[in-house]
Amino acid sequence: MTTLIWIVAALVVIGVYLSWTAGRLDRLHSRIDAARAALDAQLLRRASVAQELGTAGVLDPAASIVLYQAAHAARQAEEEHREVAESELSQALRAVFAEAQQAEAVREAPGGEESLTELSEAVRRVPMARRFHNDAVRAARAVRKHRVVRWFRLAGHAPFPMAFEMDDEPPAVLESRAVG
């Protein structure tokens, strides 16, 4: 009789542990979804502001075209090409704002100070949102690596979480504005 009680107690403990682990994994997947939505919002904001600046007529024509095309490509990119398109937008922003003269030209235009501030904030928030997303992915992957999770298929049918890797280095001119 005592053996049966010990077996039942062990099964209950194992069941509680499996339930707790499955709940933790579910919360991590929810965290990934929320972080991805925040990242998408920040990427869209950055592309929108860049596209707006590209069409405002305050930059020289070549810079306007480069910025507009990169921002448009980032906004229209399919999911499998999104990382590359966003990296290309980062490169275009660094190329356009490589020198302080472009930032000065934008600042001197009507409404330019607000546009430059909004762009500075957007390029500052993208790396933070990406970091939060990738941290959530890393945590979920760590839990999904455990044998118990794989053996009991505690992840269910949730896709394996993928990190969002892109070049998100802001232009030095805009980075210094966001900090100051």
Side-chain angles (χ1 to χ4, degrees), residues 21-166:
T21 304
R24 179 174 177 224
L25 196 54
D26 186 50
R27 287 188 303 277
L28 285 171
H29 283 152
S30 296
R31 190 172 132 206
I32 289 171
D33 291 342
R36 181 57 189 242
L39 175 60
D40 286 341
Q42 293 305 323
L43 291 171
L44 180 63
R45 180 175 179 223
R46 179 182 77 151
S48 297
V49 173
Q51 195 170 17
E52 197 174 291
L53 269 177
T55 59
V58 295
L59 300 171
D60 65 72
S64 293
I65 290 171
V66 167
L67 195 56
Y68 176 81
Q69 287 178 342
H72 181 72
R75 289 183 71 180
Q76 300 299 320
E78 295 292 326
E79 192 59 36
E80 59 270 3
H81 303 295
R82 183 111 187 255
E83 292 171 349
V84 173
E86 295 294 346
S87 293
E88 288 172 354
L89 177 56
S90 295
Q91 293 164 3
L93 284 166
R94 281 197 307 274
V96 168
F97 292 104
E99 298 177 9
Q101 290 88 346
Q102 289 287 16
E104 288 301 319
V106 172
R107 187 177 294 113
E108 291 170 1
E113 184 67 34
E114 294 82 18
S115 295
L116 205 57
T117 301
E118 189 175 357
L119 183 62
S120 296
E121 290 173 2
V123 299
R124 182 181 52 86
R125 289 178 180 166
V126 166
M128 289 189 295
R130 190 175 72 86
R131 197 171 310 122
F132 288 137
H133 175 266
N134 288 350
D135 286 346
V137 166
R138 198 172 304 116
R141 283 180 169 184
V143 172
R144 287 182 73 151
K145 275 192 333 189
H146 293 109
R147 280 188 214 129
V148 173
V149 172
R150 289 190 319 247
W151 288 345
F152 289 97
R153 298 182 181 169
L154 298 181
H157 297 288
F160 193 74
M162 301 300 290
F164 194 88
E165 297 300 332
M166 65 172 270

